Amino acid sequence: MDKRVNLVKLSVGTESVDSLMAWQEMRRAELPKGLPRHVTRMWPKREAEILNGGSIYWVIKGLIQCRQRILRLDEVTGEDGIRRCAIILDPELHRTHTAPKRPFQGWRYLKAEDSPADLPLGKKQEEPLPLELSQALAEIGVI
């Protein structure tokens, strides 16, 4: 199978890519094998496409700013006895070109061709476009 799809998720309460990294690092000791994970109620129906090289793209402060490769999906049972999906992530965060994303609940699929490209190695962040320019480009389908 050569199809791949990504996920996009709001990183609620996160101020920056650095604060997301710090939070994940703090939690690593209490997680199985020290791998970061995101637990969600819904199991992705497009599991095979996600596991074919997909990533989770994190929305921080209204902008997609980074991604993490998805390693696997594990079944976990919450304290309430409900089956959930743990999205197991590679610990390495890859900074991406920024892309505006409006608020939404849960996660969404993100086509590979619609996913922002990674920033060149060594570049810590990209200056966001002015809001008006970003909105205008989004309206005409450029971003």
Side-chain angles (χ1 to χ4, degrees):
M1 171 183 271
D2 59 350
K3 290 186 77 178
R4 182 183 85 228
V5 70
N6 299 303
L7 299 178
V8 63
K9 174 81 178 94
L10 299 180
S11 185
V12 179
T14 303
E15 296 295 319
S16 65
V17 175
D18 290 333
S19 68
L20 176 61
M21 283 191 281
W23 184 82
Q24 287 185 355
E25 186 63 34
M26 180 184 70
R27 298 256 355 261
R28 285 183 77 175
E30 59 193 63
L31 296 172
K33 297 185 181 180
L35 293 172
R37 69 181 187 170
H38 172 71
V39 178
T40 180
R41 288 184 295 150
M42 303 300 294
W43 196 281
K45 290 178 175 51
R46 297 172 69 180
E47 178 177 2
E49 292 172 81
I50 291 169
L51 297 178
N52 191 34
S55 292
I56 190 166
Y57 283 75
W58 293 107
V59 178
I60 302 169
K61 297 288 190 183
L63 297 169
I64 295 174
Q65 296 188 38
C66 63
R67 70 174 179 86
Q68 284 177 284
R69 195 167 53 87
I70 297 172
L71 301 177
R72 64 179 190 274
L73 304 177
D74 289 352
E75 183 176 322
V76 295
T77 303
E79 293 177 6
D80 54 8
I82 296 175
R83 174 184 175 256
R84 290 183 168 82
C85 177
I87 303 169
I88 309 300
L89 305 169
D90 186 314
E92 185 177 4
L93 277 119
H94 301 271
R95 293 174 189 266
T96 65
H97 289 278
T98 58
K101 195 71 174 168
R102 292 192 176 165
F104 58 92
Q105 290 186 347
W107 50 263
R108 298 286 184 266
Y109 292 112
L110 180 64
K111 294 178 187 176
E113 59 269 18
D114 295 337
S115 302
D118 289 354
L119 287 178
L121 289 177
K123 189 168 183 181
K124 290 287 189 189
Q125 69 184 50
E126 178 182 65
E127 290 299 319
L129 294 173
L131 183 59
E132 297 80 20
L133 178 57
S134 180
Q135 289 171 335
L137 292 172
E139 285 175 14
I140 62 172
V142 175
I143 59 173

